[in-house]
Amino acid sequence: MTIIPRSGHTISRSDISDNALKVLYRLHKSGFDAYLVGGGVRDLLLGKKPKDFDITTNATPEQIRKLFRNCRLVGRRFRLAHIMFGPEVIEVATFRGHHDQNESDDKNLSQQAQNGMLLRDNIFGSIEDDAIRRDFTVNSLYYNIDDFSVRDYVGGLKDLKEGIIRLIGDPETRYREDPVRMLRAVRFACKLDMRIEPNTAQPIQRLAPLLKEIPSARLFEESLKLLQAGKGYATYNMLKEYHLFEQLFPVVSSRFTANNDSPMEKIIDQVLKNTDFRLKNDKRVNPAFLFAVMLWYPVTEHAEKLSQEGGLAYYDAFALAMNDVLDEQCRSIAIPKRITTTMRDIWQLQLRLPRRQGRRANKLMEHPKFRAAFDLLELRANVERRNELQELAIWWDDYQRSNNTKQREMIAELGSAPVRKRHRPRKPSNGSRKSNTL
C-alpha cells in the first residue's frame, strides 16, 4: 500500500460535491471508514471535473440506510446504497470481499455461473479486499476523509501517470466475471487518452461474444456511455478493432465493407464526429438521432428487399423494415420505446421531405422532429453525393431561413403536385339491375 499525504496530491475538498462531503463526514462521525473512490478520485488527480462521486465504506447497506433518511437500497447483483439529494445521487458501496471467503450457501450473498460470471456479489470484506476486487488499477484509488490522504493498493498512481489501463488480477477471469469490463476498458482508454495494457487487451477479441450473455437493457446504458460521452468516434473505432461493436450492433456490423467506404459507414463516422463536437461545445445530443442515423441504411436496404421480393408498395415495405430492424437491434441493446418512437418519426419524415408542394412544407416544419429529420437529410446528401438529394437539402435549408414571402415564392416555383385520381365505385342508378350474387 502507498499512502500519499495531503501535501503530496492535488485533490481539494473544494472540488468535491458538497453532498458527497456530507455523506463522507456523517459516515466518519458515526465511527465508520469513509473513502471517495473510483472515477471521482481518478479524475480529480488528472485535473478533470468528475461526472459523479462514489463512496465506499465498511458500513453495511442496512447500517447506511439507518444513517440517512434519504437513502434507498438498490441492486440484487451488487447491493448498493443511493443517497438522494434532489437530482444528485451519491452512490455508497460496502467494501467487497473475496468469494472464496464465503462459507455460506446463501445465493443472495454470492452466486457464480458455470462460465465464471458473477450473478451475486454481496460478500463484504476489508478495504484491502475491496481494492483488489475493483476492475482497473486507475479506478482503485481511495481518498480518505479522515486525513485527506490518497491510498493506492494496486499501483494505480503509476498507471495513471503512465497512461495505462490495466485490469486487476487475471484478465480472462475478470472478463468472465463481468464481460462489460471489456467495454469499460475501451471506454476508459478513449476517454482518458490512455492505452490498454497488452495483457489486459489480449483476451478481448476472443471473449467478446460473452457480451451476448449480458442483459440488453444494461448494454443500452453502456452504449450511451461509449458513444455519447465526447469520444464516440475514437471509441467506435476501438470497439471495431476488438470485435466488440458487432456484439452491440450486429445489424450494422454485418453490412461493413472491406474498404469502410459505404454510405452507411461514412454517415456513422460523420454523426459520431458531430456528436463529439456538440458535446465539446456543451450542446445537447439525442440518442434517438444517433441510433436513427446508424440504422438508416439497414432500414432502407431491408425495405428495398421486402418491396422487390414481396411485391409490396415501398411505403408498406418501409414500415415493415422499420419493425424488423428495430426488433433485431433491440435483441442486442434494449432501446426504450420512447427512443424508438422518435427514431421512427425521423425515418418516416425522410419519405415526406421531398413532397413540399402546397401547404406540405409548412406542415412538415411544424413537426416536432423536423429538425432532426433535416439533419439526417443533410448527412445523407453529404455521403451519397446524389444531385437530387443535395438539391433537396439545400432547398430545405434555404426555406427555413426565408421569410413568408420568399417561402411562398419557393413553393410556387415547385409547381403543382400531380393529383392522384381516386377511383371510387359508382353508385348504382335506380334503373340498374340487382346483383345475382344475393
Side-chain angles (χ1 to χ4, degrees):
M1 180 184 67
T2 301
I3 298 180
I4 299 91
R6 174 63 189 91
S7 59
H9 63 76
T10 57
I11 295 179
S12 169
R13 279 170 290 170
S14 62
D15 296 323
I16 300 173
S17 156
D18 288 341
N19 292 322
L21 289 173
K22 288 177 186 176
V23 175
L24 287 166
Y25 283 134
R26 184 175 297 183
L27 285 167
H28 179 60
K29 290 177 181 178
S30 300
F32 297 107
D33 296 335
Y35 295 87
L36 195 67
V37 69
V41 179
R42 179 199 67 216
D43 290 348
L44 287 171
L45 290 170
L46 290 172
K48 300 176 181 287
K49 184 177 180 180
K51 182 181 177 182
D52 46 39
F53 295 92
D54 295 339
I55 291 170
T56 188
T57 177
N58 59 347
T60 65
E62 289 71 22
Q63 289 172 327
I64 297 167
R65 182 164 57 180
K66 288 180 181 179
L67 285 176
F68 299 92
R69 288 184 299 174
N70 52 335
C71 171
R72 67 175 182 178
L73 301 185
V74 300
R76 295 175 61 193
R77 183 167 176 259
F78 300 109
R79 197 69 168 155
L80 299 167
H82 281 180
I83 316 297
M84 321 296 290
F85 295 93
E88 185 177 14
V89 179
I90 305 299
E91 187 173 279
V92 184
T94 306
F95 295 147
R96 302 287 170 195
H98 295 292
H99 283 250
D100 54 14
Q101 297 173 351
N102 179 39
E103 298 178 357
S104 172
D105 292 329
D106 187 350
K107 291 185 177 181
N108 290 318
L109 294 179
S110 174
Q111 189 178 359
Q112 197 164 9
Q114 289 184 349
N115 61 9
M117 188 182 302
L118 287 177
L119 305 177
R120 295 286 187 277
D121 187 14
N122 293 306
I123 303 300
F124 304 136
S126 65
I127 187 173
E128 290 83 3
D129 297 330
D130 188 79
I132 295 172
R133 288 296 317 282
R134 293 191 175 269
D135 50 9
F136 303 101
T137 59
V138 296
N139 290 341
S140 189
L141 298 167
Y142 297 75
Y143 174 78
N144 189 357
I145 198 63
D146 181 29
D147 58 8
F148 316 124
S149 64
V150 171
R151 293 190 175 198
D152 177 12
Y153 295 86
V154 292
L157 286 167
K158 182 174 183 291
D159 286 344
L160 196 64
K161 186 176 180 180
E162 296 178 0
I164 295 174
I165 300 298
R166 186 195 310 272
L167 263 177
I168 301 168
D170 174 63
E172 179 155 349
T173 301
R174 301 310 304 278
Y175 288 143
R176 288 189 179 278
E177 286 178 352
D178 185 2
V180 169
R181 286 173 179 150
M182 293 183 282
L183 300 178
R184 286 167 61 82
V186 169
R187 176 158 64 89
F188 291 136
C190 295
K191 174 184 176 180
L192 303 172
D193 294 319
M194 294 183 177
R195 66 187 186 278
I196 303 177
E197 184 264 336
N199 289 333
T200 299
Q202 189 274 329
I204 294 179
Q205 288 188 4
R206 177 168 50 85
L207 299 179
L210 290 176
L211 286 170
K212 291 184 174 70
E213 300 172 18
I214 299 298
S216 56
R218 186 181 177 199
L219 290 183
F220 168 72
E221 298 298 333
E222 290 296 327
S223 71
L224 296 187
K225 295 176 185 177
L226 290 161
L227 301 177
Q228 289 201 312
K231 294 282 186 175
Y233 179 66
T235 303
Y236 163 67
N237 285 309
M238 191 176 287
L239 288 171
K240 289 197 296 181
E241 177 187 346
Y242 287 110
H243 299 177
L244 294 168
F245 186 81
E246 64 196 65
Q247 311 302 326
L248 301 175
F249 295 94
V251 179
V252 175
S253 63
S254 64
R255 293 169 169 81
F256 282 156
T257 62
N259 297 323
N260 301 315
D261 60 355
S262 68
M264 181 194 73
E265 289 162 297
K266 289 179 180 177
I267 207 170
I268 292 174
D269 285 352
Q270 193 57 57
V271 73
L272 289 172
K273 289 177 182 177
N274 292 353
T275 300
D276 291 344
F277 179 79
R278 289 183 63 85
L279 289 168
K280 185 178 179 180
N281 289 277
D282 297 322
K283 294 184 178 180
R284 294 177 61 184
V285 294
N286 188 339
F289 178 73
L290 174 62
F291 292 145
V293 174
M294 293 175 68
L295 296 172
W296 166 250
Y297 287 103
V299 168
T300 55
E301 180 183 313
H302 189 47
E304 289 285 353
K305 183 179 179 181
L306 290 174
S307 178
Q308 293 174 6
E309 295 180 357
L312 297 171
Y314 185 77
Y315 188 87
D316 295 330
F318 189 82
L320 289 174
M322 288 193 298
N323 292 337
D324 290 346
V325 168
L326 284 173
D327 286 347
E328 186 177 352
Q329 180 56 60
C330 287
R331 283 195 285 270
S332 303
I333 61 172
I335 305 173
K337 187 175 180 180
R338 70 180 188 278
I339 292 179
T340 59
T341 299
T342 301
M343 293 167 65
R344 289 174 187 273
D345 287 343
I346 294 171
W347 288 336
Q348 288 171 330
L349 283 169
Q350 301 305 300
L351 304 187
R352 296 174 58 190
L353 286 172
R355 304 172 65 184
R356 298 154 284 166
Q357 290 85 352
R359 298 178 180 177
R360 288 173 177 164
N362 283 335
K363 286 185 177 180
L364 283 171
M365 280 185 59
E366 292 172 0
H367 195 289
K369 300 300 180 288
F370 168 79
R371 184 66 207 189
F374 170 71
D375 289 343
L376 173 53
L377 173 67
E378 275 200 319
L379 285 171
R380 291 170 55 208
N382 288 336
V383 300
E384 293 184 33
R385 300 292 182 184
R386 288 191 289 121
N387 287 337
E388 64 270 26
L389 204 57
Q390 291 177 319
E391 289 172 2
L392 182 62
I394 292 170
W395 189 94
W396 273 114
D397 187 44
D398 290 342
Y399 190 80
Q400 294 174 75
R401 301 171 187 270
S402 301
N403 58 31
N404 291 339
T405 302
K406 177 64 176 174
Q407 286 180 345
R408 286 193 291 271
E409 292 174 358
M410 293 176 69
I411 296 295
E413 289 172 1
L414 292 173
S416 300
V419 178
R420 291 193 302 173
K421 293 182 179 180
R422 297 183 179 180
H423 297 283
R424 297 180 179 177
R426 293 181 179 179
K427 295 181 178 180
S429 62
N430 292 334
S432 64
R433 297 175 60 184
K434 292 183 178 180
S435 171
N436 292 326
T437 59
L438 297 177

